[in-house]
Amino acid sequence: MSENCTHDCSTCSENCASREIVKEVPHELSHIKKVIGVVSGKGGVGKSLVSSLLAITAQRRGYKAAILDADITGPSIPKIFGLKEGAVADESGLYPAVTIPGTKVMSVNLLLEDAGDPVVWRGPVIAGVVKQFWTDVIWGDVDYMFVDMPPGTGDVPLTVFQSLPVDGIIVVTSPQELVSMIVGKAVRMAGLMNIPILGIIENMSYIACPDCGKKLYPFGESKAEALAAEYKLPLLAQIPIESKLAALCDAGTLETFEGDWLEGALDVIEKL
């Protein structure tokens, strides 16, 4: 603590050890009950898919769901939901796009003239945009907001953990041992930030034989149970490799999927 401390961190520029982390306030027209981060230490494991399926599952249970796409340089949520129109704004603020069933989405791809344009920004700028998605967007009433994180433990995850009132995170992994090792970094980061970890979801876990139903493991036997046991976390779900699921994402019609893989995960979220 500085010898000149006024005990008001909001007006102080000192970077002392006792400085409090002040959560950002959402837009005055936003009423968000629970915020769930979807994280992993590595890209390509299916965080966007899991975020989307969780929102869809919540919506089907009668909740008002939203997705904040915090993967600024690799946004995929609008594509998954088939959102082609950009976000709109008025004098009150910026509004998220809304799917036909009612899931609200905000992503940088909804703000670009061409969704294929690259976002070539430095880390602090990207982190600032994510923060603005929370403070400047008019989300309205939301029961569960799922934050689709970029991979790693850099600027954006740090910004989300420090600035948003995250109620818990879900860690996404895949069967490869390398991914399991990197997931440990995300778990430890959440521990350092005092963010509750709700559990682990393994994506691309297996392939179900269409003839006999036997589970085949193209990436090797699942290590999810051992990983969950190592960190004393529940294994919430194991999502198979499903060609129909990939086709729905490509077509932007994921909300028509049929499957109950994440029902147990949502049960845990409901108990928060």
Side-chain angles (χ1 to χ4, degrees):
M1 182 181 294
S2 168
E3 61 181 11
N4 298 319
C5 182
T6 63
H7 303 285
D8 183 3
C9 294
S10 64
T11 60
C12 177
S13 60
E14 294 290 331
N15 190 24
C16 63
S18 61
R19 185 177 180 84
E20 298 177 8
I21 296 176
V22 180
K23 300 296 184 181
E24 295 290 335
V25 178
H27 192 282
E28 61 181 2
L29 298 178
S30 297
H31 308 284
I32 303 163
K33 294 180 180 178
K34 297 292 180 184
V35 179
I36 309 298
V38 180
V39 310
S40 182
K42 186 180 185 301
V45 298
K47 293 182 296 297
S48 296
L49 174 65
V50 169
S51 299
S52 301
L53 290 177
L54 285 171
I56 292 169
T57 304
Q59 196 75 27
R60 289 179 178 176
R61 290 194 185 183
Y63 295 111
K64 296 175 181 177
I67 302 177
L68 190 160
D69 189 355
D71 195 350
I72 302 299
T73 60
S76 57
I77 298 296
K79 170 69 174 176
I80 290 174
F81 285 91
L83 296 170
K84 296 181 173 62
E85 300 296 327
V88 297
D90 61 18
E91 63 277 2
S92 298
L94 183 65
Y95 294 86
V98 184
T99 69
I100 292 176
T103 301
K104 298 176 181 179
V105 174
M106 177 50 67
S107 170
V108 74
N109 261 15
L110 298 173
L111 304 175
L112 301 176
E113 288 188 14
D114 184 342
D117 289 342
V119 176
V120 189
W121 299 338
R122 294 191 181 276
V125 176
I126 293 174
V129 171
V130 172
K131 192 181 296 186
Q132 285 183 293
F133 281 175
W134 173 258
T135 60
D136 297 358
V137 172
I138 301 174
W139 291 99
D141 293 327
V142 172
D143 294 312
Y144 295 110
M145 172 179 284
F146 300 95
V147 182
D148 181 21
M149 299 275 208
T153 55
D155 286 335
V156 171
L158 185 61
T159 295
V160 171
F161 288 165
Q162 288 185 329
S163 302
L164 274 61
V166 179
D167 295 283
I169 67 167
I170 288 175
V171 181
V172 182
T173 184
S174 61
Q176 299 96 322
E177 187 171 351
L178 174 63
V179 174
S180 299
M181 179 198 68
I182 297 174
V183 162
K185 296 179 183 293
V187 170
R188 293 186 183 98
M189 179 182 184
L192 290 172
M193 303 298 295
N194 295 317
I195 304 294
I197 306 172
L198 304 181
I200 294 174
I201 292 177
E202 184 181 61
N203 188 34
M204 299 178 284
S205 183
Y206 60 89
I207 297 175
C209 175
D211 297 323
C212 66
K214 180 180 179 179
K215 291 182 179 180
L216 308 174
Y217 300 93
F219 298 117
E221 289 287 339
S222 170
K223 300 174 182 64
E225 291 185 2
L227 183 67
E230 179 181 354
Y231 293 105
K232 297 180 175 60
L233 297 171
L235 177 58
L236 301 178
Q238 291 177 291
I239 303 174
I241 298 173
E242 175 59 68
S243 59
K244 292 181 180 179
L245 195 61
L248 291 175
C249 289
D250 291 342
T253 56
L254 185 61
E255 286 176 303
T256 64
F257 93 102
E258 296 179 3
D260 59 358
W261 302 302
L262 295 188
E263 293 291 343
L266 199 66
D267 289 341
V268 171
I269 292 171
E270 282 183 324
K271 293 176 183 178
L272 284 174

